[in-house]
Amino acid sequence: MLSALRWINMNIRDYGGDPNNVLLFGESSGGRAVGDIGALKGSLNLYRHIISQSGSFNSFSFYTNISVSLQRSNFIVKKLNCQSNKSETVLECLRKASVNDLIVAYGDDGLRSVIDGYFFSYYPRLAIQHGTYN
């Protein structure tokens, strides 16, 4: 999303737009995504406004940390029989997995944004409270 926003900022004038007046809109998970953007490193000055419709970036349940994400990823790799000491082999196996196999391996657990302490330093609500929300 940040790459798309950078492209927009570089090219928006060619389409009659104003890089200082970019509005992001999202509904449901897209609403959460546009809310998350303000807490991402590198998002400063890429947009001016957001509209989040039915997307809650106020609940901690939509977020996770690196440790939990790695555990979940390792579980999925194991479930798909893609374990290996070589990351290239794991990646090749995952790329060959069918969409259906990936859906079954992932299960009903929803997607969560990963608070990594660097690129995504704070939950959006805490970024707002700490004055670091862009």
Side-chain angles (χ1 to χ4, degrees):
M1 289 187 296
L2 289 178
S3 293
L5 285 171
R6 287 185 199 106
W7 185 92
I8 289 168
N9 271 254
M10 289 184 335
N11 296 287
I12 195 169
R13 283 189 176 91
D14 295 341
Y15 298 91
D18 178 357
N20 297 312
N21 197 25
V22 174
L23 167 72
L24 306 177
F25 172 84
E27 194 273 327
S28 191
S29 63
R32 187 175 57 116
V34 299
D36 285 352
I37 287 175
L40 298 179
K41 183 178 183 175
S43 67
L44 186 63
N45 297 322
L46 294 179
Y47 66 97
R48 176 92 173 143
H49 311 280
I50 67 166
I51 297 174
S52 174
Q53 180 179 336
S54 301
S56 174
F57 59 96
N58 213 14
S59 171
F60 292 117
S61 65
F62 293 117
Y63 302 91
T64 189
N65 60 44
I66 290 174
S67 177
V68 172
S69 294
L70 287 173
Q71 289 173 2
R72 184 75 178 133
S73 297
N74 288 331
F75 172 79
I76 292 167
V77 165
K78 185 176 180 180
K79 201 164 184 181
L80 290 168
N81 296 317
C82 289
Q83 304 106 304
S84 173
N85 291 333
K86 295 183 179 180
S87 57
E88 296 86 9
T89 304
V90 172
L91 186 56
E92 182 180 342
C93 179
L94 291 172
R95 285 180 173 156
K96 289 180 179 177
S98 72
V99 171
N100 189 58
D101 288 344
L102 290 167
I103 290 170
V104 170
Y106 196 84
D108 293 334
D109 197 18
L111 297 174
R112 291 182 178 84
S113 300
V114 179
I115 307 299
D116 65 2
Y118 175 74
F119 180 70
F120 200 175
S121 299
Y122 294 104
Y123 298 95
R125 184 171 73 183
L126 294 179
I128 292 167
Q129 290 172 353
H130 289 133
T132 60
Y133 189 84
N134 297 320

